[in-house]
Amino acid sequence: MAAVPLTKYAVHLRPQDNIAVAARGIPAGTTLTFEGGTVPVANGIEMGHKFAVRPIKEGDPVYKFGQVIGFASKPVGLGDHVHVHNVKAEAFARDYAFGADLPAPLPPPAEHLSFMGYDRGPGKPAHLRYGTRNYIAVISTVNCSASTSKYITERIKASGVLKDYPNVDGVIPIVHKMGCGHQYEGPDHKQLERTLAGFANHPNVAAYILIGLGCEIVQARELVEHQHLELIQLGGGATVTKKPPTVLTIQETGGIGKTTDAGVKAVIDLLPGVNDVKRVQLPAKHILLGTNCGGSDGNSGVTANPALGVASDLVVQHGGTSILAETPEIYGAEHVLTRRAVSAEVGQKLVDRIKWWEWYTSVFGAEINNNPSPGNKKGGLTTIYEKSLGAIAKAGSTAMVDVVRYAEPVTAKGFVVMDTPGYDPVSMTGVVAGGANVCVFTTGRGSVYGCKPAPCLKVATNTPLYERMESDMDINAGVILDGTPVEVVGRQIFDAILATASGKQTKSEIHGVGEEEFAPWQIGPTL
């Protein structure tokens, strides 16, 4: 077989990289031309997996994206498959150099774009004022009231009453497995209150009611008081009325049946006012974008994540905000972000969270490199360093302006990091609680994620996945492997964000996904 250019089968990302990534399956026995020489691929390489374009000595670093992704655990020959069998993750020094590579602000966009969204009125802070959906939420404070909360929403849906309110996107239950068994006023109690309040105050939630049992740690009335919750309801025109939210506890109301009846009545009373809110034209600066990646593969950091990074930059360029989460999937690449920090204080915030995660995992005898998951490794990801370097590409190229804790309100404009676990539902729950009004989720293996009340676009990293799961994937970034520029797909994602913010349904919304994915992060023990 005659030698063929490496670019026919693979991507070599940076000049200093000693590996390349297969853009498609490479047959065994293929010989590739590279840098004036040849690379024999004796055993074949699967799509998304790596192979050596230069010999690598045992103990030497393996480079991808121009960064260390691990160290050779044995000698790696030219053309050899590079993966978990010959690469290991070891500790290595990282120069945080706060602000050393601080990028210049992006120039103003050539055209200031907009979307058709909901303006909740002057009674809400700016970061919570502008929505992309118009939901009513039934929020359970504890798992003990979860079924009752679902009974309320199910009865509303079954009644057919929603057809009379076409501007209401739905009534959604916010239910979970927590709410008791925590230390009172301890970290989990406070964090769950913050998360529930984030959904109650969310710009895509026009109104809500709270359902509790009555004896739990997270008391509904204390939640209202601690988090300063109030129901802001827009009536006709610009009239804004405020009143406390309806709070029902099963024990005080007289059981599940009576609480369900009272909850249904409370929601029906809210419907006319919520339906009166209409979409209006809003500047793109009111986009608060949540980003995540799950079911990743070796091409996530080559196609979908860099393309999402382009879209993130466009959001920031228009004056909006892009959130990067999943701190364990920043690990090993955090130095790339700290060098983009607007100040040493912001950079240190991220380092402090990384050090906390090192401590947290060590308490349980775990290793952060337990991530990538088996599915990630099957898709070609070898170490957490490789996964992290690909994951942070979602954040684009702008300055890191803030680092916030889990489910904290995101008030800054620009690129922000939120500290969350890497597990997708838990991570996205925190991001949405922080105020994200639209989300983009990249996947190489095939995640089917959604998270009401925030619409979630899914971007496939490769064409075979997109074609196999087209009913779940919104955008195919796999075309980048066939030569479409990353910038073109990034612009496609940005345009899809604006269309989604204006009401176009995502594939997840068409399937009805998003009511079971609320998963708050529990840090400590269940008592």
Side-chain angles (χ1 to χ4, degrees), residues 184-306:
Y184 184 74
E185 294 190 349
D188 277 318
H189 180 190
K190 292 180 179 179
Q191 184 161 279
L192 180 56
E193 280 199 339
R194 187 167 70 240
T195 305
L196 294 172
F199 276 68
N201 286 326
H202 197 276
N204 293 357
V205 173
Y208 62 93
I209 65 173
L210 299 172
I211 308 295
L213 176 62
C215 56
E216 62 270 19
I217 292 290
V218 180
Q219 290 282 309
R221 289 186 177 85
E222 286 187 358
L223 174 64
V224 172
E225 178 184 350
H226 295 167
Q227 299 295 325
H228 308 291
L229 294 184
E230 58 184 9
L231 175 63
I232 300 176
Q233 182 179 337
L234 280 176
T239 303
V240 179
T241 59
K242 296 183 181 181
K243 62 179 181 180
T246 295
V247 175
L248 300 172
T249 62
I250 296 169
Q251 292 169 351
E252 291 180 2
T253 308
I256 290 175
K258 292 179 180 179
T259 306
T260 301
D261 291 341
V264 168
K265 181 181 184 304
V267 170
I268 289 175
D269 288 345
L270 292 171
L271 284 169
V274 174
N275 190 67
D276 282 343
V277 186
K278 306 293 193 300
R279 289 187 182 271
V280 296
Q281 189 170 13
L282 298 171
K285 69 180 182 180
H286 295 314
I287 294 293
L288 205 167
L289 174 66
T291 71
N292 229 258
C293 54
S296 302
D297 70 351
N299 279 316
S300 292
V302 179
T303 61
N305 288 351

Side-chain angles (χ1 to χ4, degrees), residues 42 274 321 329 397 460 477 509:
V274 174
T321 300
E329 296 177 19
S397 62
E509 290 179 299

Side-chain angles (χ1 to χ4, degrees), residues 435-454:
N437 55 16
V438 63
C439 300
V440 177
F441 191 109
T442 65
T443 181
R445 304 293 292 169
S447 173
V448 293
Y449 187 79
C451 186
K452 293 178 180 179

Side-chain angles (χ1 to χ4, degrees), residues 214-482:
C215 56
E216 62 270 19
I217 292 290
V218 180
Q219 290 282 309
R221 289 186 177 85
E222 286 187 358
L223 174 64
V224 172
E225 178 184 350
H226 295 167
Q227 299 295 325
H228 308 291
L229 294 184
E230 58 184 9
L231 175 63
I232 300 176
Q233 182 179 337
L234 280 176
T239 303
V240 179
T241 59
K242 296 183 181 181
K243 62 179 181 180
T246 295
V247 175
L248 300 172
T249 62
I250 296 169
Q251 292 169 351
E252 291 180 2
T253 308
I256 290 175
K258 292 179 180 179
T259 306
T260 301
D261 291 341
V264 168
K265 181 181 184 304
V267 170
I268 289 175
D269 288 345
L270 292 171
L271 284 169
V274 174
N275 190 67
D276 282 343
V277 186
K278 306 293 193 300
R279 289 187 182 271
V280 296
Q281 189 170 13
L282 298 171
K285 69 180 182 180
H286 295 314
I287 294 293
L288 205 167
L289 174 66
T291 71
N292 229 258
C293 54
S296 302
D297 70 351
N299 279 316
S300 292
V302 179
T303 61
N305 288 351
L308 179 50
V310 171
S312 293
D313 283 351
L314 288 168
V315 168
V316 172
Q317 186 180 38
H318 279 77
T321 300
S322 178
I323 305 171
L324 177 72
E326 303 176 287
T327 313
E329 296 177 19
I330 294 173
Y331 186 77
E334 72 275 8
H335 59 292
V336 179
L337 299 181
T338 59
R339 299 176 73 92
R340 287 163 48 189
V342 293
S343 68
E345 179 186 13
V346 170
Q348 188 61 49
K349 282 184 179 182
L350 180 57
V351 174
D352 289 345
R353 300 319 302 155
I354 292 291
K355 298 301 182 186
W356 182 88
W357 276 96
E358 290 179 331
W359 167 81
Y360 181 61
T361 52
S362 70
V363 167
F364 300 97
E367 296 180 3
I368 297 180
N369 197 46
N370 187 53
N371 185 347
S373 68
N376 296 152
K377 292 175 181 176
K378 188 174 181 181
L381 289 172
T382 302
T383 67
I384 187 58
Y385 305 144
E386 178 184 9
K387 188 176 185 183
S388 294
L389 286 161
I392 66 170
K394 302 191 300 291
S397 62
T398 62
M400 181 173 69
V401 299
D402 201 5
V403 177
V404 300
R405 302 294 286 269
Y406 185 84
E408 282 188 343
V410 176
T411 60
K413 293 289 188 178
F415 157 49
V416 175
V417 171
M418 177 180 284
D419 179 32
T420 76
Y423 182 39
D424 305 327
V426 179
S427 176
M428 287 295 272
T429 295
V431 169
V432 174
N437 55 16
V438 63
C439 300
V440 177
F441 191 109
T442 65
T443 181
R445 304 293 292 169
S447 173
V448 293
Y449 187 79
C451 186
K452 293 178 180 179
C456 187
L457 289 155
K458 292 192 296 301
V459 182
T461 73
N462 62 84
T463 298
L465 165 64
Y466 180 81
E467 292 177 344
R468 188 172 64 251
M469 298 182 63
E470 190 171 354
S471 65
D472 297 289
M473 300 294 117
D474 295 280
I475 296 170
N476 178 22
V479 296
I480 294 170
L481 299 175
D482 298 320

